[in-house]
Amino acid sequence: MTTIEFLRQFRLGGYAIFDFSAAFLGMHLLSPLLSKIFLKLRLDVPKQNWLFLTLPIGILVHLLVGKITPMTRNFIDIHGHFILKVLIFCLLILGIKGVKIIKKIA
C-alpha cells in the first residue's frame, strides 16, 4: 500500500478526507495568484471566495476531463444525493456572491 492509498483510506461520508484537505489547501495556496489573474480580466474575486468555489470547480473539472469521482458521480445522479447538490449550489452562490466586475477607467 502506497502512502497516498494509506492517506485516502480515511473517509467521511464515503469521501476521502485527504482529497478534501489537499483540494482546500491547494486552493488556499493558489488563491492569491488566481485573484491576480482574474484582476487582469477585470474581475475582482476575493481570496476567500476561491475556497467556496473549491468543490464546484472540482466537480466541473472532473466532468470536463472525464474522471468520475464518487462526489462527481453522486452530484450528477438525478435520483438522489440532494443534500450534496444543495451544498454544491450553495457553495457556488457564496463563491460568486463577492465577485465584482471592475469597470474600465477611461
Side-chain angles (χ1 to χ4, degrees), residues 3-83:
T3 305
I4 297 295
E5 289 172 350
F6 173 74
L7 291 172
R8 292 189 78 222
Q9 77 179 353
F10 302 104
R11 298 187 173 270
L12 181 66
Y15 306 118
I17 296 170
F18 176 75
D19 292 345
F20 279 119
S21 302
F24 283 106
L25 178 63
M27 189 60 86
H28 175 72
L29 295 173
L30 285 175
S31 64
L33 176 64
L34 291 171
S35 290
K36 286 181 185 177
I37 291 171
F38 275 79
L39 271 176
K40 292 181 182 187
L41 299 173
R42 298 189 352 228
L43 286 174
D44 181 23
V45 183
K47 293 174 184 80
Q48 76 177 22
N49 285 40
W50 289 110
L51 292 176
F52 289 130
L53 292 170
T54 301
L55 294 180
I57 289 172
I59 288 175
L60 178 66
V61 168
H62 282 106
L63 285 172
L64 290 175
V65 298
K67 176 71 175 162
I68 304 301
T69 63
M71 182 178 286
T72 305
R73 183 177 358 97
N74 292 343
F75 183 75
I76 61 176
D77 177 22
I78 60 173
H79 298 294
H81 307 285
F82 297 111
I83 294 174

